[in-house]
């Protein structure tokens, strides 16, 4: 039973431009308190002019609806700019469930991993 308990790990959000792709890498637990870190990185991506942004959630062990709101806003902004936003896994079970339960998976381009996100 203890193995299924949630353990909060502080979120870390990094970003870099790699081969003209703005990459946002997130690790840890994304929630109401840490969502502004992701929001800031997505705003930098929107201002970067890079034709594609990849948000790597492969090391994200928790995400809540606040994070989903940030990602949806980033998706809309990229769409308005005629740019691509890809959300990459592999996704932790909790993160995958967030997309599935809310029905929002169809609003994003989801990639199984970074290699797939960078080559699409």
């Amino acid at each position: 039973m203890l193995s299924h308990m949630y353990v909060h790990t502080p979120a870390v959000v990094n970003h870099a431009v790699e081969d003209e792709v703005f990459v946002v890498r997130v690790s840890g637990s994304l929630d109401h308190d840490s969502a502004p870190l992701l929001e800031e990185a997505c705003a930098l991506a929107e201002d970067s002019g890079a034709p594609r942004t990849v948000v790597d959630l492969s090391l994200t062990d928790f995400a809540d609806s606040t994070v989903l709101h940030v990602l949806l806003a980033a998706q809309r902004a990229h769409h308005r700019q005629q740019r691509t936003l890809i959300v990459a896994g592999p996704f932790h079970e909790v993160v995958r469930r967030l997309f599935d339960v809310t029905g929002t998976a169809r609003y994003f381009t989801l990639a199984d991993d970074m290699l797939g996100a960078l080559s699409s």
Side-chain angles (χ1 to χ4, degrees):
M1 181 79 176
L2 290 177
S3 65
H4 296 310
M5 292 184 65
Y6 170 69
V7 177
H8 183 275
T9 53
V12 176
V13 178
N14 296 304
H15 57 83
V17 177
E18 300 174 12
D19 296 323
E20 296 190 26
V21 177
F22 195 98
V23 178
V24 177
R25 287 193 168 86
V26 183
S27 63
S29 303
L30 275 172
D31 57 19
H32 169 266
D33 294 328
S34 56
L37 298 172
L38 178 60
E39 189 171 29
E40 181 180 336
C42 288
L44 291 170
E46 293 160 23
D47 293 341
S48 74
R52 184 170 18 161
T53 298
V54 175
V55 179
D56 177 5
L57 298 181
S58 63
L59 297 177
T60 304
D61 57 18
F62 177 83
D64 67 9
S65 61
T66 311
V67 173
L68 194 56
H69 175 75
V70 170
L71 289 173
L72 286 167
Q75 174 63 26
R76 285 190 299 272
H78 277 71
H79 182 74
R80 278 192 306 272
Q81 296 176 356
Q82 298 181 337
R83 296 173 52 231
T84 303
L85 175 76
I86 301 169
V87 182
F91 301 105
H92 187 280
E93 178 183 331
V94 173
V95 176
R96 172 59 77 181
R97 192 173 321 131
L98 177 67
F99 289 118
D100 292 343
V101 168
T102 60
T104 55
R106 63 189 171 147
Y107 292 104
F108 297 102
T109 301
L110 300 177
D112 292 333
D113 54 34
M114 281 299 291
L115 182 61
L118 294 173
S119 65
S120 58

